[in-house]
Amino acid sequence: MTTSYGIYKTGFGEVAIAADDKGVTALSFQAGKCPLAPAQDWVEQQTPILQRAAVELNEYLEGIRRDFQVPLNPAGTEFQRSVWAQLRQIPYGQTWNYAQLAEAIGNPRAVRAVARANGANPVAVMIPCHRVIGSDGSLTGYAGGLELKAKLLGLEGAAFISQPELL
């Protein structure tokens, strides 16, 4: 199965999106801590899935879209995929903490494993790991950086405690 990718300009910076025939496999803000580095066998080309993903992402970043319809196909363990599926259930404009996420997947003692799975999410925004914050309401790590996480949560109107360095 061929993986295609493209680099797209958005109001939030350059974004790389990768997809195979089944759906989006990766989405990364290129200025963040984990920019997408295409594998040797990936092809830079436009596909219907990539085009749809780029349109939906721009609509979200412009405040027009709240939910994504483009199919997703991230690679991960069964546990990671269960966490990522639950992340997609966090409503737009709301935040959860890691304990709530662990409870929601039916494994309340797996808070640290849930946090690791959240951090390993390869499809930023469309799998909304940015909606997970600390139990005290503060921002926690984000591959795109805390400033971007604050902007995304602000776009959604979500409540969180902003660190002074992000203002």
Side-chain angles (χ1 to χ4, degrees):
M1 188 175 326
T2 301
T3 297
S4 301
Y5 76 97
I7 308 291
Y8 304 90
K9 293 190 186 311
T10 75
F12 285 61
E14 281 194 344
V15 174
I17 306 173
D20 60 21
D21 296 341
K22 294 182 181 181
V24 174
T25 58
L27 188 155
S28 176
F29 288 89
Q30 294 301 86
K33 294 185 291 184
C34 301
L36 185 65
Q40 281 187 327
D41 60 341
W42 289 13
V43 178
E44 186 170 9
Q45 67 179 1
Q46 288 303 305
T47 66
I49 290 175
L50 286 175
Q51 290 172 335
R52 182 172 169 192
V55 166
E56 289 187 13
L57 178 65
N58 273 315
E59 289 173 348
Y60 166 82
L61 295 174
E62 292 170 3
I64 298 168
R65 174 177 292 277
R66 291 177 170 226
D67 298 304
F68 295 95
Q69 304 303 315
V70 67
L72 305 180
N73 190 31
T77 67
E78 184 176 329
F79 180 79
Q80 288 172 324
R81 290 171 75 89
S82 72
V83 171
W84 301 336
Q86 192 59 53
L87 284 169
R88 294 190 75 196
Q89 302 307 308
I90 302 174
Y92 181 95
Q94 293 186 23
T95 58
W96 288 8
N97 61 47
Y98 296 106
Q100 289 172 299
L101 191 53
E103 182 74 35
I105 65 164
N107 199 343
R109 298 178 64 187
V111 175
R112 287 189 175 147
V114 162
R116 282 191 301 277
N118 189 67
N121 171 24
V123 184
V125 180
M126 292 180 178
I127 299 177
C129 58
H130 64 278
R131 294 181 187 153
V132 180
I133 61 175
S135 58
D136 64 354
S138 65
L139 297 183
T140 55
Y142 187 63
L146 291 183
E147 185 176 340
L148 177 59
K149 184 172 186 166
K151 285 181 182 179
L152 293 171
L153 291 173
L155 172 73
E156 294 185 13
F160 62 94
I161 296 172
S162 182
Q163 287 84 343
E165 65 272 12
L166 301 177
L167 297 176

